[in-house]
Amino acid sequence: METQLWREILEPYRLAVDELVVKFNHVKQQYQDARMYSPIEMVSGRVKRVSSILEKTKRKGVDLSQLEEKIEDIAGIRLICQFVEDINTVVQIIRERSDLEIKTEKDYITKSKPSGYRSYHMIAYYTVQTINGPKRLEVEIQIRTLAMNFWSTIEHSLQYKYREHMPDDLRMRLLSAADAVDALDNEMSSVRDEIMDAQNSNRKKANIISDILNNIESLYYIANEREVTKIQNEFFQIYRKDDMKLLTRFNKQLDIIAETYRAQNPRSQQENI
Ligand code: 0O2
């Protein structure tokens, strides 16, 4: 097939990948904006390489004329989670989206592949808008933990190196590494609540500090400079004490001070200061 033809075939898949990466990153962002824990930790996407498509069509005996019907993972999205428990949440989020229609799901987590590979796969229909009109295509979404992703990235590169001639001892070592990854995920799940508590309190602290800094910045426009410098110094002192209670109290007091100044300076409200 000519390069130009490949480009024409693959372009809508590239668009689908770009759009879905943006959309899933927004899901993560929305959780963060709502100051909630995001079940999605990382998002990536790729369009399958032509050499990989050709290899797969050959392996599966697919005629190139049927490429788009038979090869389901030309467009691939990968969603990485921190914990195994997050995978179900992400699967549910995907099932409920109106822009994706699920075709099939494969659970390689409950039952891993013989290689040791673990991941949750969903094939979904997704429509992109092209200059020739809408095009409905298939996208493969892989959902896995950070640990599973580490294993499969290494194993995948070894598969490329050895093709079907991977030495038996290496295969065995990869299988035992897969067991270790499974154990690591289980161990992390058992301390999930503690890890999430720590992450939540870090996030809470970062949010309070950002609120305080925003308030101080807005006070610079409406309050007396000496007063703002005093507030700022007070903040630095509290910040150094690293005490959440003090920070929270200071933030509340600052809210009241900023609100009082805004009430005295109605112009600042119109200008959204
Ligand atoms: P690439 O290079 O990732 O684009 P099936 O006939 O259903 O068994 P199929 O159609 O390949 O096989 O579907 P499957 O098994 O769901 O695999 C799709 C993708 O999952 C693969 O794409 C890999 O990305 C990943 N995957 C599946 N099995 C393994 C595995 O044992 N190890 C690793 N590292 N990844 C795996 P491709 O086609 O390999 O290509």
Side-chain angles (χ1 to χ4, degrees):
M1 210 185 306
E2 286 172 28
T3 312
Q4 178 59 23
L5 199 51
W6 274 115
R7 207 167 283 147
E8 277 169 30
I9 293 175
L10 297 184
E11 195 45 41
Y13 291 87
R14 196 151 287 133
L15 178 58
V17 168
D18 287 349
E19 287 184 8
L20 286 167
V21 166
V22 168
K23 288 181 178 186
F24 283 114
N25 270 318
H26 263 272
V27 173
K28 181 182 172 189
Q29 189 62 49
Q30 280 173 34
Y31 275 99
Q32 288 173 341
D33 289 346
R35 301 182 173 186
M36 288 161 71
Y37 168 80
S38 168
I40 299 176
E41 175 65 14
M42 275 170 2
V43 181
S44 65
R46 64 101 182 95
V47 173
K48 210 173 178 67
R49 286 189 307 206
V50 174
S51 58
S52 187
I53 295 176
L54 288 174
E55 186 274 321
K56 196 161 189 171
T57 50
K58 195 170 147 211
R59 176 159 50 87
K60 295 195 158 221
V62 171
D63 192 89
L64 279 187
S65 60
Q66 287 196 302
L67 173 74
E68 292 189 80
E69 294 90 76
K70 301 278 186 190
I71 306 294
E72 297 171 313
D73 66 341
I74 298 177
I77 298 291
R78 193 166 288 160
L79 304 175
I80 312 291
C81 309
Q82 294 192 42
F83 301 99
V84 184
E85 290 81 355
D86 300 333
I87 294 178
N88 276 339
T89 313
V90 175
V91 168
Q92 206 47 44
I93 289 173
I94 293 171
R95 286 187 190 139
E96 284 166 14
R97 289 189 70 101
S98 58
D99 55 352
L100 289 166
E101 187 195 320
I102 309 304
K103 180 186 172 191
T104 52
E105 295 185 23
K106 287 186 201 164
D107 180 358
Y108 298 130
I109 291 180
T110 312
K111 191 172 182 326
S112 61
K113 285 191 115 177
S115 60
Y117 176 76
R118 289 170 74 230
S119 191
Y120 197 96
H121 289 193
M122 301 174 95
I123 306 293
Y125 296 106
Y126 179 74
T127 303
V128 288
Q129 304 298 324
T130 75
I131 51 171
N132 302 315
K135 182 175 168 73
R136 192 172 188 250
L137 42 78
E138 288 174 14
V139 179
E140 183 190 69
I141 306 172
Q142 300 181 343
I143 308 145
R144 52 173 83 144
T145 62
L146 287 159
M148 291 173 197
N149 193 49
F150 171 61
W151 181 93
S152 65
T153 306
I154 307 280
E155 196 262 1
H156 196 265
S157 58
L158 289 170
Q159 270 186 25
Y160 260 100
K161 180 170 174 198
Y162 292 104
R163 304 280 159 192
E164 57 273 19
H165 309 293
M166 193 182 295
D168 282 346
D169 71 315
L170 183 56
R171 203 184 300 277
M172 294 314 288
R173 281 161 71 189
L174 282 168
L175 268 174
S176 83
D179 287 342
V181 162
D182 196 17
L184 175 65
D185 270 332
N186 288 334
E187 193 59 24
M188 286 306 192
S189 288
S190 71
V191 287
R192 183 174 188 257
D193 288 346
E194 268 178 56
I195 297 172
M196 283 182 65
D197 275 354
Q199 290 177 347
N200 274 338
S201 87
N202 281 346
R203 205 173 312 121
K204 255 191 216 149
K205 188 175 164 195
N207 289 333
I208 289 179
I209 289 171
S210 138
D211 281 352
I212 291 174
L213 291 176
N214 283 341
N215 265 333
I216 292 178
E217 190 189 346
S218 71
L219 280 175
Y220 264 109
Y221 293 96
I222 46 180
N224 170 306
E225 196 180 326
R226 265 211 349 254
E227 170 109 11
V228 184
T229 312
K230 204 174 125 224
I231 290 172
Q232 199 168 291
N233 289 339
E234 206 178 323
F235 165 59
F236 286 144
Q237 276 175 17
I238 291 173
Y239 178 75
R240 276 192 214 108
K241 287 186 187 146
D242 198 22
D243 182 330
M244 270 293 276
K245 271 195 192 139
L246 285 181
L247 271 174
T248 311
R249 196 178 329 134
F250 182 75
N251 189 28
K252 278 189 188 142
Q253 285 167 351
L254 200 56
D255 266 345
I256 297 169
I257 295 173
E259 218 28 72
T260 312
Y261 269 106
R262 282 191 201 105
Q264 287 166 2
N265 295 271
R267 234 190 81 231
S268 66
Q269 286 192 353
Q270 282 162 16
E271 290 164 8
N272 265 336
I273 293 171

